[in-house]
Amino acid sequence: MEDVKGSDGLGDTELRLGLPGTSTATRSAKRALPEGDEESHDELRRTSAAKAQVVGWPPIRSYRKNSFPGRKVEAEAAAGLYVKVSMDGAPYLRKIDLGVYKGYKELREGLDNMFKCFSLAELSRREGGSGSEYAITYEDKDGDLMLVGDVPWEMFISSCKRLRIMKGSEARGLNSRH
Amino acid sequence: MREERSDMSEDEDGGGGVEQKERWGPSHGGGCCGSAKSRGGVWTDPPPPFSDQVLENVLENVLQFLACRRDRNAASLVCRSWYRAEAQTRGELFIGNCYAVSPRRAADRFRRVRSVVLKGKPRFADFGLVPLGWGAHFSPWASAMAAAYPWLERICLKRMSIADDDLSLLAFSFPFFKDLTLICCDGFGTPGLAVIAEKCRHLRVLDLIEASLEEEEEDEVVDWISKFPQTTTNLETLGFDCVVSTVNFEALEALVALSPALRQLRVNHHVTVDQLFRLMVRAPQLTHLGTGSFGPPAALVLQGDVMEDEADLVSAFAASKSIVSLSGFRDVASQYLPAIYPVCANLTTLNFSYTEITADELKPVIHHCHNLRKFWVLDTVRDEGLQAVAAACKDLRELRVFPLNATEDSEGFVSDVGLAAVSQGCRRLRSILYFCQQMTNKAVITMSKNCQELVVFRLCIMGRHLPDHHTKEPMDEGFGAIVMNCKKLTRLAVSGLLTDKAFGYIGKYGKLIRTLSVAFAGDSDVGLRYVLEGCPKLQKLEIRDSPFGDPALLSGIHQYYNMRFLWMNSCKLSIRGCRDVAQRLPRLVVEVIRDRPEADDETVEKLYMYRSLAGPRNDAPPFVKIL
């Protein structure tokens, strides 16, 4: 099966309809999947889709879904804390699940891997980011632009709405009181 | 009293036929009515000779008694005379797809309509699959009806977009307006409700069911309850449990006091248990009660009837000897739940589907409910709770078990055990909707054998492509048994790991199936082909994320004029295939809906096609392409 997400790392960037594991319309419509393939296909589908939420599934009306405010947090936790990550100068955004990282270090490593074009090791709050090319910032619940790393990790993942990797020069102004 | 289904579902509409008003196929109809084939336009024949006129008058008097729309459709096909007579006497107009016919045309044919039922968006719109602004606007219908039916009394709308202005138009155009029922509608807000309350002096029914009112800031919310007349009203049904904003309680209480005919009252979650108490004291004649929050009182009530403690609440229920239906319980505090015991034995409907209760909290209640016919509940009651239901509710006809956490990888609270237990205890079950995380073919087969009366079987195994929990096999045999053994089945929703074999069973045995919902199922085009070739009564087919492509789509050409609609999203369709269908079937509107502007032109993300006399609609938004 050629359409599996992540097998060569480029799967993530492919613009595609439907779920990872389902085929696009460009594939031959006549091909029937042999039984054996179907099983491993499912395995792959299930694991790769484990955290991805599908629109409209399970089929519950939003009216009903929104009726349990207390549960919403749990549902979100189960579903993954996906936030968009943009990088100044990059042509498209990425999306990451903050829930898979244990702390800032893992997050930086993950982002480093994803964008590969800057060295985060040099980025330090104490240095004020002055020696590095890029800074990781995030937009919080109130819509404010904050520097990543100031608050405890748990607080960060519950208030982070999106991440932005910006040029170090622009980030300098965020380094206020610490 | 006319039998009414409050959710406008057609699942138990009894037999046969399609609810079309004009014939579609090439070879239907014969004799003098061969020309009743849809050719557009209205009958504008010269007046018939005298004896024919007499016959028509007689006919009209006879046809008055014909209520069922399918019978009326059949009668209208006999000949022109019958067609005219039927058109003059049809009192209720049912339009299953608002785009299937133009408002003008409907109004031209049926001149004396008192009641209109109109359905809009496809059902998958409920799950966010239809982009906002797609359509189903009520405005053109409102205008046409305002001009044509000054005597209009009743309107029921399902999945339509309604503006406050439309409600205003209704209120001002129909002086005898009595009943307004809105199910899963959106676009309007409290200003619209205010006009209805204020201007419709004969209002008997105002029923909002799962409507999504427009979001309004605090200062935008209109106190619509206060707009009702300050005199005795004819109100029989008032349902606003889905209205998010608070209502003026004093005004509500006054309204209830002035409405001696009130039988059905469903309040929203802002109404606390002590407020509910006051309402119940004013309306002991209620038959249907939506209890709001059923949670602890918020503020002190200063005068009049005051609920001191739970005992007061119990006596209020004891005094309400006519209650047969209970719902609400949004924030139920468990100490109040026993208050409903006095009415349990009379209950035919109980809706706990917004109530997070455990099996232990459910058992003492359900134990009393031996007359229950319809039960909706959350899966928090677990298999154990369902076993209690099976033991107590021997006459149960409809069961719906909803998930608390509607996510794929949530922990499932009910399973095959609950399903099997229900099938053991509730042999007269007709309709089931069951959400779970694990299921076995064995349990489904057991249900197929125990519940022979099943008309609606909807099983949603929430994890996609999940096989039988024990054997790890596909769920083909389970669903196969359902279609094989439940000979009255008209509606089916499938889930779990399914191969083409399951569809083979459906095509072979599902001869009465009218509605079929498919998600993440099947292996190839063969699956869809089985269904399209095997199910002659198919009306509504909705499919998502299944590997069906153009060849499968084309295999249904013979069928599409007999169906109300076909919906397919995230399948393997291409523009070529859809265009092919559109060219071969000129009376079919083929809509290709695109979610993302950057998606390429060849792929079809979403297909919605339906027969229509009106041709391509002129209100399609940019993301809809009509082929």
Side-chain angles (χ1 to χ4, degrees), chain B residues 2 67 69 72 89-94 112-117 154:
Chain B
R2 180 176 35 172
R69 67 174 190 270
R72 282 188 158 272
T89 55
R90 189 178 294 221
E92 176 174 295
L93 185 59
F94 176 93
R112 303 215 196 119
V113 163
R114 300 280 166 120
S115 161
V116 172
V117 176
R154 182 175 167 255

Side-chain angles (χ1 to χ4, degrees), chain B residues 268-277 291-299 307 313 328-337:
Chain B
N268 68 10
H269 66 283
H270 291 290
V271 173
T272 58
V273 78
D274 59 322
Q275 289 175 328
L276 183 73
F277 170 77
T291 63
S293 79
F294 221 65
M307 184 180 119
L313 194 61
F329 305 103
R330 299 281 173 141
D331 300 309
V332 67
S334 48
Q335 72 264 34
Y336 296 126
L337 207 48

Side-chain angles (χ1 to χ4, degrees), chain B residues 466-536:
Chain B
L466 281 185
D468 179 314
H469 183 67
H470 289 154
T471 66
K472 302 304 178 197
E473 283 174 5
M475 291 299 298
D476 298 340
E477 296 308 313
F479 285 101
I482 290 284
V483 287
M484 222 187 303
N485 298 332
C486 302
K487 309 223 181 340
K488 301 184 183 179
L489 200 75
T490 59
R491 182 170 180 181
L492 179 65
V494 301
S495 61
L497 180 64
L498 293 171
T499 71
D500 287 340
K501 201 170 176 202
F503 295 99
Y505 288 135
I506 295 172
K508 185 169 179 193
Y509 297 106
K511 296 305 176 190
L512 294 182
I513 290 181
R514 295 207 296 262
T515 305
L516 179 63
S517 309
V518 176
F520 308 102
D523 302 320
S524 72
D525 289 331
V526 170
L528 180 54
R529 186 174 236 139
Y530 279 141
V531 169
L532 290 170
E533 289 173 356
C535 302

Side-chain angles (χ1 to χ4, degrees), chain B residues 139-171:
Chain B
S139 304
W141 287 91
S143 312
M145 293 192 304
Y149 304 136
W151 313 102
L152 194 68
E153 293 179 358
R154 182 175 167 255
I155 291 179
C156 280
L157 303 176
K158 188 168 185 179
R159 292 195 195 95
M160 299 285 298
S161 281
I162 309 166
D164 287 327
D165 284 345
D166 297 332
L167 294 176
S168 206
L169 184 63
L170 289 188

